[in-house]
Amino acid sequence: MTSTEQGAGCVRVSRSYRVDGHLVPALVHVDVSAPAGMITAVIGPSGSGKSTLLRLLTGMDSPDEGTVTIAGQDIGALSAAGRARLRRSRLGLVRQDPGDNLLAYLTVRQHLRLAAQIRGVPEETGEALLAPLGIDGRVNHLPHQLSGGERQRVAIAFAAVGPPSVLVADEPTGQLDHGNVDAVVAALRVIADAGVAVVAATHDPAVWQRADRVVRLQAGRVVQEAT
Amino acid sequence: MRGMAHGGWLSLAPWRRGPLLLLRRPSVAVAIAVAVAVAVLPAAAGPVFLSSAGSATLRARTSSVCPAALGSQVVAPERPVDPAVLATAVTQEAQAAAEGLGDPAVTLVSAAVAVGDNRVNIAGRNGFEAHVQRIAGGPGHGLWLPDRFAAEHGLRPGDTVTISPNVEEWSADNVRRVWAPTAVPVVAIYRDLRDRSGDDPFWCGISTLYRGDPAQQAGGLGSDVPVLDLLLADRASMLAIASGAHVQTAQRIERAPATIDLTAPEATRLAAGITTMHERLRTTGYDGRILYRTALPPLAGRAALVERELRGTVLPISAGGLLVGLAVVMAAGAFWVRRRERELVVLATFGATAPWLGVKAALEALPALTAGAVGGWSLAWLLVARVGPSSDVSGAALVQSLIAAGSAFLLAAAVLGVTAALACRPLTGAPAPKARVRRRLAVAPWELLLLAAAAGYWSTGGDRSMVRLGSQYGTMVQLPGKLLVVPMLAMLCLCVLGARLATAAVRRWTRSTTVARSAVRLLYRRRLRHSAAAAVTLALITALPVAVAGYGATATRTVSATLAAQARLGAGSDVVITLAEPGAIPATLAGRATPVLRVDYVQLDDRQVSLLAVDPVTFADVAFWDDRLDDTTLAEATRALRAPAKGAIASAPVPDGTATMTFGADPPVDLEVTSLSTLPAPRGGYPVLLVDRAAVGQEVLVRAVPQLWVRGDPDPIRAAVDAAGLRVASFSVADDRLAGTFYQPVTYTFAYLSALSLLTATVAMVGFLLYLESRLRVLRRGYAMLRLMGLRSAVQGWLLLAELAGSLVAGCAAGLGLAVTAAVAVRDQLNVDPAAPPGTVLSFPWPVMAGLLTAVGCFAVLVAVVTHWRLTRSRTSEVLRDID
């Protein structure tokens, strides 16, 4: 199996939405691949289709046409339950707001155990990620006891337990200062180095400049793809 | 693909710790608890209310029946068996078959015995000494004489009376045996039982021995049969009289129920037991001339009938209430998803499906659901106990109520879970319904279908005002479904239609391009426009329950007022006291009592009328009257009685003009008659003739039944009459005419609707809180932003008050308007007995409505103040960073 088959990919994917009676295209015949072990940055102005692409990659939405594959599986061919199973075992998601990624009543350790239980891996697996991410001293803290950067790194660890085949991050540094951005990008690199295909939608140059691949979207189309 | 750890989703912390999680969000927990209480309340109230109605029906009937008659009465007319043997048999059979009977009361009765030149009744009842007022003499063997009898015949303790035998025996050669009279000593004098206004229940089983038979007296036939004096004797003396004086002696063995506070099922069981006991006595040799009586079976049967027939109206109301409650639970489920969206999205990204998120919702809501179910059941019990027909509820009804509450609880949990699961589908990436379909569904005026259904139901529901059901236990009135279903459907339709139109109107108004005079007005308009649908929905969920509550309360009052008016018009006044001999009005009743002389067989020309000779000065103030009758006041009408010419007032069909009144030996009197459609206290269908008591002849004065008509509560009136020493033949309370009648269940049904008022008010409150909670985040941001822009906190407070109170008060006012309209529309149908004057007395509960409006206003102000206080405590920086 190639690294692309291990990762995520879109082939001729289109998606449009109806707004006030008009059909507005969000993605038009997009081809994107996110190989395993690499960070793929998806960049582009607001409204270019980044979020739609991420929703399609996480199986939270279905394309009008084309195929979306995760670890070699065509999401469109799966039932709702199949997509849920795929998310459970193969996908991780980190959202922009650090508060949106964690459960307020669980400590860091409990988060990691929860993820391990869901993914059916030993409970200690998650804690092994803490040291590389620099948050090993915070295992018994609740989310509100952590800083924004710490929360986002815990969120990355939480999503990466298993590990999944693909980790999708939507503006992971959007609410962080420079110091924390570096820590988060480093964390993503750690995850990618573990063989996970990391797909990050971002405006932040600090992220896409350190990505392995960059896909630029504009008006729902891929206008540039660089390695 | 890797599998989940052993135990599945339920073993994971978000599910396992679910029941504790909602405690972190008390507002959501409270909203869910109240929503479930709203669903459980009507479901749980149905069975207990039906039982309560059955108990009330039974109580209304049993309260006027002697307890001894309710139990077992075994009467051996002429001692066919040994008294002791019969008493033992009755006791044994009662123990075997009829559990729930009290101790036996054994009475030996010798009726119409010749004592000297008089005929008297003699009775010996165990323990009678404690139930008479002894005036002279003391214990011992012999007779106790009533004081009037003793005074009339100059008898005192120590004297003897002579009793003549009345047993006829013939010798073998057909010669009649003749025994000599027997002298029996007098041992005591007691106060005549007839001189006591209220009967001691101890005597009620044999009250005919000293009061005569009321059936004979009331019917006129046999009213000339003299009522005999009652002489009392101890058991030994009675047996001596029976055997030694050769007097026929009957034996009565009475066993009253141990308690008369019976529920309908208890009464049914006891009645069946008594019937079995009597059957067993019959089949074990105690038959022949022995009479077995009990009044309980028909009363128990009637209570069961009422309970059964009320199901037809009570259960649909309960089902409707349950549906309303479940709708609120659905709203609570959707609300839960909104408040827990962050966590749900996290779990959805880990592959949790919508059904598992629904299960999580149910688990999280479990404590709130349980608290709500317990609260709803308690509230149901409290409602029935406080505002229901009776607080006596059978054990079976309680069990049914618990089962219903449990079922409603499970249903609510399921509805909450399913609603939450459906609301979670978008979070899990499930496809949403097509926008076009949603849009079309939203604009379709489906509420008009409700109006069509209401019209159809009305037209097919017949034109009878009330349905009378016949059975072996009599008739009863059942509230026709159209009086419930049609107004509810129509009000729902108008509310939804009004909401739709109001939303459009608000949007149009707030779209206005005219420049607002102030920033506050501009903000108000913008906010209203932004949340037009929510504001109108809030008004709608306020209007609908208020309309139901208002209609229910109006219907209750109207039916009650109409029945009360009919009862008072039939009785004459609140209380009508028939005196055994003329007496003056007690000083404490002055101003609210009037003397009336009643003669029911008077001739007016060729027509028989009921004559009421009244005091023209006080009659109009005391007698019941409704000004809608003949469009005149009674004071105005009775002015004719005071005229120098002999004026009189008669009810239809007596015509206006001169008529001649004749009665007995009195000379005929020419009267100038003014005719009215109806007058108080008609009897037997004869017209009523009112005349001045000063103008009637001597024979009328002698033969008329003296009455006192009094306005006010019966208990103080009874006390005043007792204190004045008046000899009362009967004490008639107008309201008692309703008790036990077949009209009663109608008021029960509306009482249930009144209970529903509380439920609907709760619905409005829950809806309001849900609305507010869902908007709190937006309000916080708005508050913080406007504070930064320099808008003062107080101004924002007023803005919030206007926004919240506007919807609530508008909804409340609209609901009250709908209630009044609905009640006016069906007013003719709210008359249980259309044939009886004075017709429907439409009675709006204005104080209740004003109270409701005030309460809603106060509630809105309170919530606005609390919400504003919560907003002012928010830290601007945190709110704008959305740290929630």
Side-chain angles (χ1 to χ4, degrees):
Chain A
M1 193 175 282
T2 68
S3 62
T4 305
E5 284 171 334
Q6 287 284 336
C10 296
V11 180
R12 308 274 303 161
V13 163
S14 297
R15 181 74 172 103
S16 54
Y17 298 104
R18 187 174 289 277
V19 179
D20 290 337
H22 302 287
L23 212 56
V24 178
L27 292 175
V28 183
H29 296 147
V30 168
D31 292 308
V32 173
S33 65
M38 290 189 182
I39 297 176
T40 303
V42 181
I43 63 173
S46 297
S48 60
K50 297 191 299 295
S51 295
T52 301
L53 180 63
L54 262 52
R55 285 182 60 78
L56 293 173
L57 285 173
T58 53
M60 294 294 192
D61 198 0
S62 301
D64 297 330
E65 59 179 293
T67 56
V68 179
T69 55
I70 299 290
Q73 288 197 54
D74 179 2
I75 292 185
L78 297 174
S79 64
R83 281 204 299 274
R85 273 196 300 276
L86 185 74
R87 276 200 298 274
R88 196 167 70 212
S89 58
R90 300 289 189 195
L91 268 168
L93 176 65
V94 177
R95 292 187 292 164
Q96 178 179 3
D97 187 341
D100 285 348
N101 294 312
L102 301 173
L103 309 186
Y105 52 89
L106 295 184
T107 63
V108 172
R109 175 174 282 137
Q110 287 166 336
H111 272 95
L112 300 175
R113 281 186 182 168
L114 173 65
Q117 287 169 338
I118 291 175
R119 297 213 161 116
V121 296
E123 292 189 2
E124 303 75 32
T125 311
E127 291 193 36
L129 292 168
L130 295 177
L133 298 184
I135 44 174
D136 48 337
R138 315 292 266 169
V139 286
N140 292 317
H141 287 67
L142 290 165
H144 73 268
Q145 295 168 323
L146 303 172
S147 70
E150 286 173 331
R151 271 192 262 178
Q152 202 65 323
R153 277 180 281 159
V154 171
I156 291 169
F158 182 38
V161 173
S165 301
V166 179
L167 183 93
V168 176
D170 187 3
E171 299 282 3
T173 58
Q175 294 194 357
L176 303 179
D177 55 38
H178 286 298
N180 278 311
V181 167
D182 289 341
V184 167
V185 174
L188 292 175
R189 172 56 64 195
V190 169
I191 302 304
D193 289 347
V196 177
V198 176
V199 184
T202 183
H203 286 109
D204 192 342
V207 178
W208 61 262
Q209 283 172 358
R210 287 148 75 178
D212 301 306
R213 289 165 52 76
V214 177
V215 176
R216 183 185 297 276
L217 289 176
Q218 191 154 10
R221 297 171 188 275
V222 176
V223 293
Q224 185 185 2
E225 193 168 1
T227 302
Chain B
M1 209 174 280
R2 292 182 293 257
M4 190 183 293
H6 179 71
W9 294 102
L10 286 178
S11 67
L12 304 179
W15 281 263
R16 201 179 62 245
R17 291 163 67 169
L20 298 175
L21 294 180
L22 211 59
L23 300 179
R24 298 160 60 92
R25 294 178 184 272
S27 58
V28 185
V30 168
I32 290 175
V34 178
V36 174
V38 166
V40 167
L41 192 152
V48 282
F49 175 79
L50 288 171
S51 176
S52 163
S55 299
T57 303
L58 188 69
R59 186 68 47 80
R61 303 296 285 257
T62 56
S63 63
S64 59
V65 177
C66 177
L70 289 176
S72 162
Q73 289 183 308
V74 178
V75 183
E78 291 176 16
R79 275 208 302 155
V81 292
D82 183 301
V85 172
L86 181 59
T88 304
V90 167
T91 303
Q92 285 172 349
E93 295 301 338
Q95 282 170 350
E99 205 177 324
L101 290 175
D103 293 332
V106 181
T107 311
L108 295 171
V109 178
S110 298
V113 179
V115 173
D117 296 334
N118 301 283
R119 298 178 80 79
V120 297
N121 295 323
I122 306 176
R125 188 173 174 87
N126 46 343
F128 78 87
E129 295 89 343
H131 296 274
V132 292
Q133 183 185 340
R134 184 159 51 83
I135 293 174
H141 294 302
L143 291 169
W144 291 52
L145 308 185
D147 55 346
R148 276 197 282 158
F149 179 84
E152 200 175 316
H153 298 91
L155 294 168
R156 288 177 299 181
D159 294 343
T160 57
V161 295
T162 306
I163 295 179
S164 300
N166 62 5
V167 173
E168 290 192 348
E169 270 188 36
W170 301 81
S171 63
D173 50 355
N174 216 23
V175 175
R176 185 184 174 192
R177 286 187 181 166
V178 177
W179 290 287
T182 303
V184 181
V186 174
V187 294
I189 308 294
Y190 73 95
R191 188 181 178 196
D192 195 320
L193 295 172
R194 285 169 290 193
D195 290 341
R196 294 157 60 146
S197 61
D199 270 334
D200 182 339
F202 178 83
W203 295 109
C204 66
I206 56 171
S207 63
T208 52
L209 292 174
Y210 58 90
R211 288 207 188 276
D213 186 348
Q216 277 190 333
Q217 292 173 347
L221 295 171
S223 57
D224 53 346
V225 174
V227 177
L228 302 181
D229 290 301
L230 176 65
L231 279 56
L232 299 172
D234 58 288
R235 182 175 175 80
S237 301
M238 280 303 300
L239 290 173
I241 291 168
S243 55
H246 303 282
V247 172
Q248 286 186 349
T249 304
Q251 181 185 198
R252 303 167 63 98
I253 303 172
E254 295 165 351
R255 299 199 60 162
T259 172
I260 57 167
D261 295 337
L262 297 168
T263 61
E266 288 168 348
T268 304
R269 268 197 304 279
L270 184 58
I274 293 170
T275 306
T276 306
M277 165 190 164
H278 289 172
E279 285 301 320
R280 290 170 66 142
L281 282 167
R282 271 197 198 98
T283 55
T284 48
Y286 300 103
D287 200 355
R289 297 180 64 189
I290 297 180
L291 302 175
Y292 297 96
R293 295 181 191 145
T294 175
L296 194 56
L299 303 188
R302 173 149 186 81
L305 172 74
V306 166
E307 207 171 314
R308 195 167 57 246
E309 295 305 334
L310 276 179
R311 281 185 198 145
T313 47
V314 167
L315 294 187
I317 294 175
S318 297
L322 175 64
L323 288 177
V324 170
L326 290 179
V328 182
V329 170
M330 288 171 72
F335 178 53
W336 176 86
V337 172
R338 283 176 72 173
R339 299 294 287 172
R340 310 284 284 128
E341 189 173 342
R342 284 183 170 188
E343 178 175 344
L344 297 175
V345 169
V346 171
L347 296 172
T349 59
F350 273 93
T353 55
W356 280 112
L357 296 178
V359 170
K360 179 173 164 59
L363 284 174
E364 283 198 14
L366 203 57
L369 285 167
T370 308
V374 171
W377 186 85
S378 307
L379 203 56
W381 170 248
L382 199 68
L383 271 179
V384 171
R386 289 295 169 95
V387 304
S390 163
S391 57
D392 288 329
V393 175
S394 69
L398 275 181
V399 172
Q400 287 172 5
S401 170
L402 282 171
I403 292 172
S407 306
F409 163 75
L410 292 176
L411 198 58
V415 165
L416 186 116
V418 169
T419 308
L422 290 173
C424 283
R425 280 169 59 83
L427 308 181
T428 60
K434 287 196 181 303
R436 188 186 301 170
V437 175
R438 278 183 304 183
R439 256 198 324 275
R440 284 187 180 169
L441 279 176
V443 297
W446 55 267
E447 63 271 17
L448 291 177
L449 291 175
L450 297 175
L451 202 59
Y457 196 97
W458 184 269
S459 60
T460 58
D463 56 2
R464 287 170 299 177
S465 57
M466 301 284 164
V467 181
R468 297 183 182 203
L469 297 167
S471 86
Q472 59 175 319
Y473 301 118
T475 56
M476 66 168 281
V477 178
Q478 191 184 43
L479 193 66
K482 65 182 183 181
L483 284 185
L484 292 173
V485 175
V486 174
M488 300 298 156
L489 286 177
M491 287 192 290
L492 180 60
C493 166
L494 292 174
C495 277
V496 176
L497 194 62
R500 193 189 289 275
L501 296 174
T503 306
V506 166
R507 285 189 174 144
R508 182 178 292 270
W509 174 61
T510 52
R511 196 185 297 153
S512 164
T513 53
T514 55
V515 179
R517 287 183 202 165
S518 69
V520 176
R521 288 189 183 192
L522 175 69
L523 277 172
Y524 180 67
R525 275 204 337 220
R526 297 305 302 168
R527 275 194 185 182
L528 207 56
R529 174 166 172 70
H530 180 70
S531 58
V536 171
T537 304
L538 178 60
L540 167 71
I541 62 171
T542 309
L544 194 58
V546 166
V548 173
Y551 172 74
T554 306
T556 307
R557 280 181 63 107
T558 298
V559 169
S560 297
T562 304
L563 286 172
Q566 288 166 349
R568 278 165 177 70
L569 198 64
S573 189
D574 294 342
V575 174
V576 173
I577 304 161
T578 300
L579 300 172
E581 59 193 20
I585 295 173
T588 50
L589 299 182
R592 53 194 179 107
T594 186
V596 174
L597 292 172
R598 179 173 195 116
V599 186
D600 280 324
Y601 307 103
V602 172
Q603 210 64 27
L604 187 69
D605 286 343
D606 55 352
R607 201 186 298 271
Q608 185 175 315
V609 296
S610 291
L611 174 70
L612 299 181
V614 303
D615 174 10
V617 178
T618 57
F619 183 75
D621 295 333
V622 177
F624 175 81
W625 190 253
D626 189 291
D627 291 348
R628 279 165 299 185
L629 295 165
D630 294 287
D631 291 328
T632 182
T633 64
L634 192 57
E636 205 173 294
T638 52
R639 202 164 290 143
L641 303 182
R642 304 190 216 177
K646 289 191 173 175
I649 307 167
S651 58
V654 176
D656 283 333
T658 306
T660 304
M661 178 179 79
T662 53
F663 182 70
D666 281 342
V669 181
D670 288 334
L671 298 168
E672 196 57 41
V673 175
T674 304
S675 181
L676 296 178
S677 63
T678 189
L679 281 172
R683 190 174 288 178
Y686 297 110
V688 174
L689 179 68
L690 286 187
V691 297
D692 184 351
R693 59 187 282 135
V696 295
Q698 190 59 32
E699 186 153 357
V700 169
L701 288 176
V702 171
R703 292 183 54 185
V705 176
Q707 293 182 327
L708 287 183
W709 291 17
V710 194
R711 280 213 160 176
D713 290 335
D715 290 340
I717 294 171
R718 194 188 294 274
V721 168
D722 281 348
L726 293 175
R727 292 188 59 204
V728 175
S730 71
F731 192 94
S732 169
V733 179
D735 285 340
D736 288 349
R737 292 180 164 226
L738 300 177
T741 64
F742 54 86
Y743 300 132
Q744 213 172 15
V746 173
T747 55
Y748 293 166
T749 310
F750 279 119
Y752 190 60
L753 256 185
S754 296
L756 205 66
S757 305
L758 187 62
L759 163 73
T760 49
T762 315
V763 173
M765 193 184 76
V766 175
F768 184 68
L769 291 177
L770 288 176
Y771 166 75
L772 208 55
E773 269 302 317
S774 67
R775 294 210 58 209
L776 201 58
R777 225 163 144 181
V778 176
L779 289 173
R780 269 204 184 112
R781 288 190 183 194
Y783 177 83
M785 289 291 291
L786 292 171
R787 286 289 289 142
L788 284 178
M789 291 165 66
L791 201 64
R792 284 186 297 127
S793 176
V795 173
Q796 293 209 54
W798 284 112
L799 205 60
L800 186 66
L801 179 64
E803 192 183 341
L804 298 181
S807 295
L808 277 178
V809 173
C812 189
L816 292 177
L818 275 176
V820 170
T821 308
V824 169
V826 300
R827 58 174 294 172
D828 290 341
Q829 310 288 324
L830 292 173
N831 189 351
V832 179
D833 188 3
T840 306
V841 180
L842 194 57
S843 178
F844 291 107
W846 297 121
V848 174
M849 290 182 169
L852 202 59
L853 200 56
T854 309
V856 167
C858 291
F859 178 67
V861 170
L862 183 69
V863 172
V865 167
V866 171
T867 307
H868 183 62
W869 175 74
R870 288 173 71 182
L871 296 183
T872 56
R873 292 184 68 218
S874 313
R875 289 185 185 172
T876 307
S877 57
E878 290 184 1
V879 169
L880 295 179
R881 285 178 61 207
D882 201 20
I883 299 170
D884 198 6

